[in-house]
Amino acid sequence: ELSGHMYVRRMSGSDRYATAAAVAQEVVGMSAATDVLIARGDGFADALAAGPLAYAAELPMLLVSGSSVPGATSDALATLGVTRAVVLGGESAVPRSVAGDLGVDYERAGADDRYGTAVAVAEYGVAHGWVTWDTVGLATGVQFPDALGGGAAVGSDRGVLLLTLFAALPDAT
């Protein structure tokens, strides 16, 4: 805040991959993160499920496509100083060939669908001490706005976010 006015800083790039890289650079500048989260850039569910984890653990998140690691993501991985990637989603979301092209060691937190992946991400974060089961957020996995807004609130409480259908809980959830 400067002289009673909010200071706004825009972080952007030429596309979603470059924007994610710009935001990741900012996150790493504010934390001592050595891990990075990797999500598919053309889908929302896996990245949203990991939003509270990213917030609580101050982890950057970068995006890949279903067939390659975009240049902005490769460049960010080379300059951020991270040593491990956590690939979000099963192999149908981020194929092994794409994960292998990241250029850093990686682990996977994923399952066969977005609901199972949200559980796997939560379990991964709890196992690493980044989040706890004390707060569990529940948002639809069919649309993104609820999880987008609620994810930060859940992350600020070091909680996890699980995804559901409109009318019923998926088995994984």
Side-chain angles (χ1 to χ4, degrees), residues 9 11-29 36-37 60-64 70-80:
R9 184 164 160 234
M11 289 175 276
S12 64
S14 59
D15 59 21
R16 65 187 69 193
Y17 306 99
T19 298
V23 172
Q25 188 68 49
E26 183 75 13
V27 170
V28 169
V36 62
L37 302 173
M61 188 178 308
L62 295 171
L63 304 176
V64 296
T73 301
S74 291
D75 292 347
L77 285 166
T79 61
L80 290 176

PDB file of all heavy atoms in Angstrom, residues 9 11-29 36-37 60-64 70-80:
ATOM      1  N   ARG A   9       0.238  -5.032  -8.954  1.00  0.00           N
ATOM      2  CA  ARG A   9       1.295  -5.424  -9.885  1.00  0.00           C
ATOM      3  C   ARG A   9       0.756  -6.512 -10.787  1.00  0.00           C
ATOM      4  O   ARG A   9       0.248  -7.523 -10.310  1.00  0.00           O
ATOM      5  CB  ARG A   9       2.489  -5.939  -9.102  1.00  0.00           C
ATOM      6  CG  ARG A   9       3.637  -6.265  -9.986  1.00  0.00           C
ATOM      7  CD  ARG A   9       4.913  -6.391  -9.174  1.00  0.00           C
ATOM      8  NE  ARG A   9       5.820  -7.152  -9.973  1.00  0.00           N
ATOM      9  CZ  ARG A   9       6.428  -8.239  -9.586  1.00  0.00           C
ATOM     10  NH1 ARG A   9       6.278  -8.662  -8.366  1.00  0.00           N
ATOM     11  NH2 ARG A   9       7.213  -8.883 -10.387  1.00  0.00           N
ATOM     12  N   MET A  11       1.154  -9.542 -13.320  1.00  0.00           N
ATOM     13  CA  MET A  11       2.060 -10.579 -13.796  1.00  0.00           C
ATOM     14  C   MET A  11       1.365 -11.257 -14.965  1.00  0.00           C
ATOM     15  O   MET A  11       0.231 -11.731 -14.822  1.00  0.00           O
ATOM     16  CB  MET A  11       2.362 -11.583 -12.690  1.00  0.00           C
ATOM     17  CG  MET A  11       3.238 -11.006 -11.600  1.00  0.00           C
ATOM     18  SD  MET A  11       3.481 -12.147 -10.247  1.00  0.00           S
ATOM     19  CE  MET A  11       2.002 -11.818  -9.321  1.00  0.00           C
ATOM     20  N   SER A  12       2.016 -11.282 -16.093  1.00  0.00           N
ATOM     21  CA  SER A  12       1.375 -11.853 -17.268  1.00  0.00           C
ATOM     22  C   SER A  12       2.430 -12.391 -18.214  1.00  0.00           C
ATOM     23  O   SER A  12       3.625 -12.165 -18.041  1.00  0.00           O
ATOM     24  CB  SER A  12       0.510 -10.805 -17.970  1.00  0.00           C
ATOM     25  OG  SER A  12       1.327  -9.749 -18.463  1.00  0.00           O
ATOM     26  N   GLY A  13       1.948 -13.099 -19.188  1.00  0.00           N
ATOM     27  CA  GLY A  13       2.808 -13.635 -20.229  1.00  0.00           C
ATOM     28  C   GLY A  13       2.028 -13.704 -21.524  1.00  0.00           C
ATOM     29  O   GLY A  13       0.855 -13.324 -21.577  1.00  0.00           O
ATOM     30  N   SER A  14       2.656 -14.207 -22.546  1.00  0.00           N
ATOM     31  CA  SER A  14       2.020 -14.257 -23.859  1.00  0.00           C
ATOM     32  C   SER A  14       0.911 -15.304 -23.936  1.00  0.00           C
ATOM     33  O   SER A  14       0.069 -15.243 -24.824  1.00  0.00           O
ATOM     34  CB  SER A  14       3.074 -14.534 -24.938  1.00  0.00           C
ATOM     35  OG  SER A  14       3.731 -15.769 -24.657  1.00  0.00           O
ATOM     36  N   ASP A  15       0.914 -16.259 -23.030  1.00  0.00           N
ATOM     37  CA  ASP A  15      -0.124 -17.282 -22.967  1.00  0.00           C
ATOM     38  C   ASP A  15      -0.189 -17.824 -21.539  1.00  0.00           C
ATOM     39  O   ASP A  15       0.533 -17.351 -20.650  1.00  0.00           O
ATOM     40  CB  ASP A  15       0.120 -18.408 -23.984  1.00  0.00           C
ATOM     41  CG  ASP A  15       1.455 -19.130 -23.794  1.00  0.00           C
ATOM     42  OD1 ASP A  15       2.048 -19.069 -22.682  1.00  0.00           O
ATOM     43  OD2 ASP A  15       1.914 -19.775 -24.748  1.00  0.00           O
ATOM     44  N   ARG A  16      -1.032 -18.800 -21.287  1.00  0.00           N
ATOM     45  CA  ARG A  16      -1.209 -19.321 -19.921  1.00  0.00           C
ATOM     46  C   ARG A  16       0.070 -19.944 -19.375  1.00  0.00           C
ATOM     47  O   ARG A  16       0.315 -19.897 -18.176  1.00  0.00           O
ATOM     48  CB  ARG A  16      -2.364 -20.322 -19.877  1.00  0.00           C
ATOM     49  CG  ARG A  16      -2.118 -21.575 -20.683  1.00  0.00           C
ATOM     50  CD  ARG A  16      -3.321 -22.481 -20.768  1.00  0.00           C
ATOM     51  NE  ARG A  16      -4.328 -21.836 -21.581  1.00  0.00           N
ATOM     52  CZ  ARG A  16      -5.584 -22.222 -21.664  1.00  0.00           C
ATOM     53  NH1 ARG A  16      -6.012 -23.258 -20.999  1.00  0.00           N
ATOM     54  NH2 ARG A  16      -6.441 -21.575 -22.409  1.00  0.00           N
ATOM     55  N   TYR A  17       0.890 -20.512 -20.235  1.00  0.00           N
ATOM     56  CA  TYR A  17       2.134 -21.154 -19.793  1.00  0.00           C
ATOM     57  C   TYR A  17       3.152 -20.096 -19.343  1.00  0.00           C
ATOM     58  O   TYR A  17       3.809 -20.245 -18.311  1.00  0.00           O
ATOM     59  CB  TYR A  17       2.693 -22.035 -20.908  1.00  0.00           C
ATOM     60  CG  TYR A  17       1.652 -23.026 -21.393  1.00  0.00           C
ATOM     61  CD1 TYR A  17       0.920 -22.792 -22.547  1.00  0.00           C
ATOM     62  CD2 TYR A  17       1.374 -24.176 -20.656  1.00  0.00           C
ATOM     63  CE1 TYR A  17      -0.063 -23.686 -22.969  1.00  0.00           C
ATOM     64  CE2 TYR A  17       0.401 -25.071 -21.064  1.00  0.00           C
ATOM     65  CZ  TYR A  17      -0.317 -24.816 -22.224  1.00  0.00           C
ATOM     66  OH  TYR A  17      -1.296 -25.693 -22.621  1.00  0.00           O
ATOM     67  N   ALA A  18       3.253 -19.028 -20.113  1.00  0.00           N
ATOM     68  CA  ALA A  18       4.162 -17.943 -19.761  1.00  0.00           C
ATOM     69  C   ALA A  18       3.657 -17.169 -18.540  1.00  0.00           C
ATOM     70  O   ALA A  18       4.453 -16.725 -17.706  1.00  0.00           O
ATOM     71  CB  ALA A  18       4.344 -16.999 -20.954  1.00  0.00           C
ATOM     72  N   THR A  19       2.352 -17.029 -18.412  1.00  0.00           N
ATOM     73  CA  THR A  19       1.803 -16.371 -17.227  1.00  0.00           C
ATOM     74  C   THR A  19       2.081 -17.198 -15.982  1.00  0.00           C
ATOM     75  O   THR A  19       2.496 -16.669 -14.948  1.00  0.00           O
ATOM     76  CB  THR A  19       0.293 -16.115 -17.392  1.00  0.00           C
ATOM     77  OG1 THR A  19       0.102 -15.240 -18.513  1.00  0.00           O
ATOM     78  CG2 THR A  19      -0.307 -15.494 -16.139  1.00  0.00           C
ATOM     79  N   ALA A  20       1.879 -18.511 -16.065  1.00  0.00           N
ATOM     80  CA  ALA A  20       2.187 -19.391 -14.930  1.00  0.00           C
ATOM     81  C   ALA A  20       3.660 -19.285 -14.563  1.00  0.00           C
ATOM     82  O   ALA A  20       4.012 -19.270 -13.382  1.00  0.00           O
ATOM     83  CB  ALA A  20       1.814 -20.841 -15.250  1.00  0.00           C
ATOM     84  N   ALA A  21       4.528 -19.191 -15.557  1.00  0.00           N
ATOM     85  CA  ALA A  21       5.970 -19.063 -15.298  1.00  0.00           C
ATOM     86  C   ALA A  21       6.276 -17.740 -14.589  1.00  0.00           C
ATOM     87  O   ALA A  21       7.100 -17.699 -13.668  1.00  0.00           O
ATOM     88  CB  ALA A  21       6.756 -19.177 -16.603  1.00  0.00           C
ATOM     89  N   ALA A  22       5.610 -16.667 -14.991  1.00  0.00           N
ATOM     90  CA  ALA A  22       5.823 -15.369 -14.336  1.00  0.00           C
ATOM     91  C   ALA A  22       5.359 -15.406 -12.885  1.00  0.00           C
ATOM     92  O   ALA A  22       6.039 -14.898 -11.986  1.00  0.00           O
ATOM     93  CB  ALA A  22       5.089 -14.269 -15.110  1.00  0.00           C
ATOM     94  N   VAL A  23       4.220 -16.016 -12.636  1.00  0.00           N
ATOM     95  CA  VAL A  23       3.717 -16.133 -11.269  1.00  0.00           C
ATOM     96  C   VAL A  23       4.642 -17.035 -10.450  1.00  0.00           C
ATOM     97  O   VAL A  23       4.955 -16.741  -9.298  1.00  0.00           O
ATOM     98  CB  VAL A  23       2.266 -16.652 -11.259  1.00  0.00           C
ATOM     99  CG1 VAL A  23       1.797 -16.961  -9.845  1.00  0.00           C
ATOM    100  CG2 VAL A  23       1.331 -15.643 -11.930  1.00  0.00           C
ATOM    101  N   ALA A  24       5.100 -18.134 -11.048  1.00  0.00           N
ATOM    102  CA  ALA A  24       6.010 -19.050 -10.346  1.00  0.00           C
ATOM    103  C   ALA A  24       7.295 -18.332  -9.933  1.00  0.00           C
ATOM    104  O   ALA A  24       7.807 -18.544  -8.832  1.00  0.00           O
ATOM    105  CB  ALA A  24       6.335 -20.255 -11.226  1.00  0.00           C
ATOM    106  N   GLN A  25       7.807 -17.480 -10.797  1.00  0.00           N
ATOM    107  CA  GLN A  25       9.008 -16.709 -10.467  1.00  0.00           C
ATOM    108  C   GLN A  25       8.759 -15.847  -9.239  1.00  0.00           C
ATOM    109  O   GLN A  25       9.603 -15.749  -8.355  1.00  0.00           O
ATOM    110  CB  GLN A  25       9.424 -15.840 -11.658  1.00  0.00           C
ATOM    111  CG  GLN A  25      10.745 -15.148 -11.477  1.00  0.00           C
ATOM    112  CD  GLN A  25      11.912 -16.118 -11.463  1.00  0.00           C
ATOM    113  OE1 GLN A  25      12.018 -16.973 -12.324  1.00  0.00           O
ATOM    114  NE2 GLN A  25      12.780 -16.005 -10.485  1.00  0.00           N
ATOM    115  N   GLU A  26       7.601 -15.248  -9.167  1.00  0.00           N
ATOM    116  CA  GLU A  26       7.240 -14.413  -8.015  1.00  0.00           C
ATOM    117  C   GLU A  26       7.138 -15.259  -6.743  1.00  0.00           C
ATOM    118  O   GLU A  26       7.609 -14.866  -5.685  1.00  0.00           O
ATOM    119  CB  GLU A  26       5.904 -13.706  -8.290  1.00  0.00           C
ATOM    120  CG  GLU A  26       5.479 -12.769  -7.219  1.00  0.00           C
ATOM    121  CD  GLU A  26       6.251 -11.457  -7.213  1.00  0.00           C
ATOM    122  OE1 GLU A  26       6.968 -11.156  -8.190  1.00  0.00           O
ATOM    123  OE2 GLU A  26       6.143 -10.732  -6.216  1.00  0.00           O
ATOM    124  N   VAL A  27       6.515 -16.427  -6.840  1.00  0.00           N
ATOM    125  CA  VAL A  27       6.354 -17.307  -5.680  1.00  0.00           C
ATOM    126  C   VAL A  27       7.718 -17.749  -5.156  1.00  0.00           C
ATOM    127  O   VAL A  27       7.979 -17.704  -3.959  1.00  0.00           O
ATOM    128  CB  VAL A  27       5.475 -18.529  -6.023  1.00  0.00           C
ATOM    129  CG1 VAL A  27       5.511 -19.569  -4.913  1.00  0.00           C
ATOM    130  CG2 VAL A  27       4.048 -18.093  -6.298  1.00  0.00           C
ATOM    131  N   VAL A  28       8.593 -18.167  -6.046  1.00  0.00           N
ATOM    132  CA  VAL A  28       9.924 -18.618  -5.625  1.00  0.00           C
ATOM    133  C   VAL A  28      10.705 -17.457  -5.016  1.00  0.00           C
ATOM    134  O   VAL A  28      11.465 -17.650  -4.070  1.00  0.00           O
ATOM    135  CB  VAL A  28      10.683 -19.273  -6.802  1.00  0.00           C
ATOM    136  CG1 VAL A  28      12.148 -19.493  -6.466  1.00  0.00           C
ATOM    137  CG2 VAL A  28      10.027 -20.595  -7.170  1.00  0.00           C
ATOM    138  N   GLY A  29      10.473 -16.259  -5.504  1.00  0.00           N
ATOM    139  CA  GLY A  29      11.135 -15.089  -4.931  1.00  0.00           C
ATOM    140  C   GLY A  29      10.687 -14.781  -3.515  1.00  0.00           C
ATOM    141  O   GLY A  29      11.404 -14.144  -2.752  1.00  0.00           O
ATOM    142  N   VAL A  36       8.186 -27.881  -7.282  1.00  0.00           N
ATOM    143  CA  VAL A  36       7.257 -27.175  -8.151  1.00  0.00           C
ATOM    144  C   VAL A  36       6.116 -28.129  -8.490  1.00  0.00           C
ATOM    145  O   VAL A  36       6.336 -29.335  -8.648  1.00  0.00           O
ATOM    146  CB  VAL A  36       7.960 -26.667  -9.430  1.00  0.00           C
ATOM    147  CG1 VAL A  36       8.520 -27.806 -10.265  1.00  0.00           C
ATOM    148  CG2 VAL A  36       7.028 -25.809 -10.273  1.00  0.00           C
ATOM    149  N   LEU A  37       4.918 -27.605  -8.563  1.00  0.00           N
ATOM    150  CA  LEU A  37       3.760 -28.381  -8.974  1.00  0.00           C
ATOM    151  C   LEU A  37       3.600 -28.236 -10.480  1.00  0.00           C
ATOM    152  O   LEU A  37       3.757 -27.137 -11.022  1.00  0.00           O
ATOM    153  CB  LEU A  37       2.498 -27.879  -8.262  1.00  0.00           C
ATOM    154  CG  LEU A  37       2.544 -27.915  -6.735  1.00  0.00           C
ATOM    155  CD1 LEU A  37       1.308 -27.228  -6.159  1.00  0.00           C
ATOM    156  CD2 LEU A  37       2.666 -29.329  -6.223  1.00  0.00           C
ATOM    157  N   PRO A  60       5.425 -22.960  -6.261  1.00  0.00           N
ATOM    158  CA  PRO A  60       5.035 -22.472  -7.581  1.00  0.00           C
ATOM    159  C   PRO A  60       4.330 -23.582  -8.354  1.00  0.00           C
ATOM    160  O   PRO A  60       4.512 -24.767  -8.065  1.00  0.00           O
ATOM    161  CB  PRO A  60       6.375 -22.122  -8.238  1.00  0.00           C
ATOM    162  CG  PRO A  60       7.356 -23.041  -7.583  1.00  0.00           C
ATOM    163  CD  PRO A  60       6.869 -23.216  -6.169  1.00  0.00           C
ATOM    164  N   MET A  61       3.499 -23.191  -9.312  1.00  0.00           N
ATOM    165  CA  MET A  61       2.829 -24.152 -10.179  1.00  0.00           C
ATOM    166  C   MET A  61       3.089 -23.755 -11.627  1.00  0.00           C
ATOM    167  O   MET A  61       2.872 -22.604 -12.003  1.00  0.00           O
ATOM    168  CB  MET A  61       1.324 -24.185  -9.905  1.00  0.00           C
ATOM    169  CG  MET A  61       0.629 -25.310 -10.659  1.00  0.00           C
ATOM    170  SD  MET A  61      -1.161 -25.454 -10.343  1.00  0.00           S
ATOM    171  CE  MET A  61      -1.266 -25.506  -8.573  1.00  0.00           C
ATOM    172  N   LEU A  62       3.564 -24.713 -12.395  1.00  0.00           N
ATOM    173  CA  LEU A  62       3.797 -24.505 -13.814  1.00  0.00           C
ATOM    174  C   LEU A  62       2.866 -25.399 -14.616  1.00  0.00           C
ATOM    175  O   LEU A  62       2.366 -26.408 -14.102  1.00  0.00           O
ATOM    176  CB  LEU A  62       5.259 -24.810 -14.166  1.00  0.00           C
ATOM    177  CG  LEU A  62       6.294 -23.876 -13.544  1.00  0.00           C
ATOM    178  CD1 LEU A  62       7.705 -24.396 -13.780  1.00  0.00           C
ATOM    179  CD2 LEU A  62       6.147 -22.465 -14.109  1.00  0.00           C
ATOM    180  N   LEU A  63       2.658 -25.038 -15.875  1.00  0.00           N
ATOM    181  CA  LEU A  63       1.713 -25.756 -16.718  1.00  0.00           C
ATOM    182  C   LEU A  63       2.400 -26.420 -17.900  1.00  0.00           C
ATOM    183  O   LEU A  63       3.379 -25.896 -18.439  1.00  0.00           O
ATOM    184  CB  LEU A  63       0.652 -24.781 -17.232  1.00  0.00           C
ATOM    185  CG  LEU A  63      -0.118 -23.996 -16.171  1.00  0.00           C
ATOM    186  CD1 LEU A  63      -1.056 -22.994 -16.829  1.00  0.00           C
ATOM    187  CD2 LEU A  63      -0.874 -24.938 -15.249  1.00  0.00           C
ATOM    188  N   VAL A  64       1.864 -27.581 -18.283  1.00  0.00           N
ATOM    189  CA  VAL A  64       2.313 -28.298 -19.468  1.00  0.00           C
ATOM    190  C   VAL A  64       1.102 -28.585 -20.345  1.00  0.00           C
ATOM    191  O   VAL A  64      -0.036 -28.483 -19.900  1.00  0.00           O
ATOM    192  CB  VAL A  64       3.028 -29.624 -19.104  1.00  0.00           C
ATOM    193  CG1 VAL A  64       4.303 -29.359 -18.317  1.00  0.00           C
ATOM    194  CG2 VAL A  64       2.103 -30.561 -18.341  1.00  0.00           C
ATOM    195  N   PRO A  70       5.922 -26.746 -22.698  1.00  0.00           N
ATOM    196  CA  PRO A  70       6.108 -25.497 -23.439  1.00  0.00           C
ATOM    197  C   PRO A  70       7.425 -24.812 -23.075  1.00  0.00           C
ATOM    198  O   PRO A  70       7.952 -24.998 -21.966  1.00  0.00           O
ATOM    199  CB  PRO A  70       4.906 -24.643 -22.993  1.00  0.00           C
ATOM    200  CG  PRO A  70       3.895 -25.636 -22.535  1.00  0.00           C
ATOM    201  CD  PRO A  70       4.682 -26.757 -21.929  1.00  0.00           C
ATOM    202  N   GLY A  71       7.932 -24.008 -23.978  1.00  0.00           N
ATOM    203  CA  GLY A  71       9.194 -23.319 -23.760  1.00  0.00           C
ATOM    204  C   GLY A  71       9.214 -22.475 -22.500  1.00  0.00           C
ATOM    205  O   GLY A  71      10.211 -22.454 -21.773  1.00  0.00           O
ATOM    206  N   ALA A  72       8.117 -21.777 -22.201  1.00  0.00           N
ATOM    207  CA  ALA A  72       8.073 -20.943 -20.999  1.00  0.00           C
ATOM    208  C   ALA A  72       8.221 -21.789 -19.744  1.00  0.00           C
ATOM    209  O   ALA A  72       8.878 -21.381 -18.782  1.00  0.00           O
ATOM    210  CB  ALA A  72       6.764 -20.160 -20.946  1.00  0.00           C
ATOM    211  N   THR A  73       7.657 -22.979 -19.762  1.00  0.00           N
ATOM    212  CA  THR A  73       7.757 -23.879 -18.611  1.00  0.00           C
ATOM    213  C   THR A  73       9.171 -24.434 -18.496  1.00  0.00           C
ATOM    214  O   THR A  73       9.743 -24.463 -17.403  1.00  0.00           O
ATOM    215  CB  THR A  73       6.727 -25.020 -18.733  1.00  0.00           C
ATOM    216  OG1 THR A  73       5.415 -24.435 -18.799  1.00  0.00           O
ATOM    217  CG2 THR A  73       6.810 -25.983 -17.568  1.00  0.00           C
ATOM    218  N   SER A  74       9.758 -24.840 -19.606  1.00  0.00           N
ATOM    219  CA  SER A  74      11.144 -25.333 -19.597  1.00  0.00           C
ATOM    220  C   SER A  74      12.101 -24.268 -19.105  1.00  0.00           C
ATOM    221  O   SER A  74      12.985 -24.545 -18.276  1.00  0.00           O
ATOM    222  CB  SER A  74      11.565 -25.770 -21.005  1.00  0.00           C
ATOM    223  OG  SER A  74      10.880 -26.916 -21.396  1.00  0.00           O
ATOM    224  N   ASP A  75      11.923 -23.050 -19.595  1.00  0.00           N
ATOM    225  CA  ASP A  75      12.786 -21.952 -19.166  1.00  0.00           C
ATOM    226  C   ASP A  75      12.642 -21.692 -17.674  1.00  0.00           C
ATOM    227  O   ASP A  75      13.640 -21.477 -16.971  1.00  0.00           O
ATOM    228  CB  ASP A  75      12.460 -20.674 -19.950  1.00  0.00           C
ATOM    229  CG  ASP A  75      12.821 -20.770 -21.423  1.00  0.00           C
ATOM    230  OD1 ASP A  75      13.551 -21.720 -21.815  1.00  0.00           O
ATOM    231  OD2 ASP A  75      12.347 -19.901 -22.193  1.00  0.00           O
ATOM    232  N   ALA A  76      11.416 -21.716 -17.177  1.00  0.00           N
ATOM    233  CA  ALA A  76      11.189 -21.480 -15.747  1.00  0.00           C
ATOM    234  C   ALA A  76      11.836 -22.576 -14.917  1.00  0.00           C
ATOM    235  O   ALA A  76      12.483 -22.306 -13.908  1.00  0.00           O
ATOM    236  CB  ALA A  76       9.696 -21.390 -15.451  1.00  0.00           C
ATOM    237  N   LEU A  77      11.691 -23.823 -15.330  1.00  0.00           N
ATOM    238  CA  LEU A  77      12.300 -24.934 -14.590  1.00  0.00           C
ATOM    239  C   LEU A  77      13.820 -24.787 -14.541  1.00  0.00           C
ATOM    240  O   LEU A  77      14.449 -25.128 -13.540  1.00  0.00           O
ATOM    241  CB  LEU A  77      11.909 -26.271 -15.210  1.00  0.00           C
ATOM    242  CG  LEU A  77      10.482 -26.724 -14.919  1.00  0.00           C
ATOM    243  CD1 LEU A  77      10.086 -27.866 -15.845  1.00  0.00           C
ATOM    244  CD2 LEU A  77      10.332 -27.125 -13.459  1.00  0.00           C
ATOM    245  N   ALA A  78      14.395 -24.253 -15.610  1.00  0.00           N
ATOM    246  CA  ALA A  78      15.846 -24.088 -15.662  1.00  0.00           C
ATOM    247  C   ALA A  78      16.336 -22.946 -14.778  1.00  0.00           C
ATOM    248  O   ALA A  78      17.470 -22.979 -14.299  1.00  0.00           O
ATOM    249  CB  ALA A  78      16.284 -23.850 -17.111  1.00  0.00           C
ATOM    250  N   THR A  79      15.481 -21.953 -14.526  1.00  0.00           N
ATOM    251  CA  THR A  79      15.934 -20.775 -13.792  1.00  0.00           C
ATOM    252  C   THR A  79      15.422 -20.678 -12.355  1.00  0.00           C
ATOM    253  O   THR A  79      15.981 -19.919 -11.565  1.00  0.00           O
ATOM    254  CB  THR A  79      15.537 -19.481 -14.522  1.00  0.00           C
ATOM    255  OG1 THR A  79      14.108 -19.424 -14.623  1.00  0.00           O
ATOM    256  CG2 THR A  79      16.166 -19.424 -15.901  1.00  0.00           C
ATOM    257  N   LEU A  80      14.389 -21.414 -12.005  1.00  0.00           N
ATOM    258  CA  LEU A  80      13.787 -21.282 -10.674  1.00  0.00           C
ATOM    259  C   LEU A  80      14.591 -21.948  -9.569  1.00  0.00           C
ATOM    260  O   LEU A  80      14.376 -21.658  -8.396  1.00  0.00           O
ATOM    261  CB  LEU A  80      12.360 -21.843 -10.663  1.00  0.00           C
ATOM    262  CG  LEU A  80      11.317 -21.056 -11.431  1.00  0.00           C
ATOM    263  CD1 LEU A  80       9.985 -21.788 -11.420  1.00  0.00           C
ATOM    264  CD2 LEU A  80      11.167 -19.654 -10.862  1.00  0.00           C
TER     265      LEU A  80
END
